[in-house]
Amino acid sequence: MSSDGVPDCVSESTQWERVGGTWLRIVRYASRPVAGDSAPPSDAAGPGLAVLVPGLGLPRYVLPLARHLATCGVEAVVLDALAWRGRRPRAVPTIAGLSELTATWLHGQRERPIVVVGHSTGSQVALEAVLRVQRTRPALALVMGGPTFTPEQR
């Protein structure tokens, strides 16, 4: 295990993608072969993708889940829509703004099964994003952990 807590069998990368006119920070975890292992390369680790949408734009607490999914052979991506990028445009910090950004990013992914996992306010973002792309992405699933809806909306 590395000093940052990432298991040796997991690769971690952080990148910035321009989605529409907004910058989106993406933290990606995938399995990788360990020396002497005959495991497939990370691109072939599995057919699906897990997309984690944290609540309140705080991705730190979902990183352990993303790492664990990668140890199981699932590629996992954490969307950090509110990350600071200097003067570059970032997402509008509303449910509607974040879900629009997430939906646009999802729409641009290659065809494969995708599970969108939202936590807390990220559940609301994930729900709205999935509703926006469900007709064009048939292999799509949603997991909502601890949604923050008002009691009247539950």
Side-chain angles (χ1 to χ4, degrees), residues 4-140:
D4 60 359
V6 178
D8 294 335
C9 62
V10 172
S11 67
E12 174 184 14
S13 65
T14 300
Q15 62 193 55
W16 289 88
E17 284 187 27
R18 192 162 177 95
V19 179
T22 304
W23 286 96
L24 177 62
R25 179 176 174 252
I26 298 167
V27 183
R28 187 177 305 269
Y29 294 91
S31 61
R32 68 173 170 207
V34 178
D37 191 0
S38 61
S42 61
D43 286 356
L49 174 67
V51 178
L52 286 78
V53 183
L56 296 177
L58 299 171
R60 282 188 310 238
Y61 66 90
V62 297
L63 296 178
L65 173 59
R67 289 181 191 119
H68 177 74
L69 290 169
T71 66
C72 298
V74 176
E75 181 181 359
V77 170
V78 178
L79 300 182
D80 186 4
L82 297 178
W84 180 250
R85 183 70 175 177
R87 295 182 180 203
R88 294 184 180 179
R90 63 182 195 161
V92 177
T94 62
I95 300 299
L98 296 170
S99 63
E100 181 179 337
L101 176 66
T102 302
T104 302
W105 185 85
L106 285 169
H107 185 71
Q109 300 308 298
R110 68 180 169 90
E111 279 302 317
R112 60 178 164 168
I114 297 176
V115 177
V116 182
V117 180
H119 180 260
S120 189
T121 53
S123 289
Q124 293 170 267
V125 171
L127 172 62
E128 288 193 25
V130 166
L131 289 173
R132 289 173 189 239
V133 298
Q134 66 182 343
R135 286 187 175 90
T136 59
R137 303 292 307 213
L140 190 63

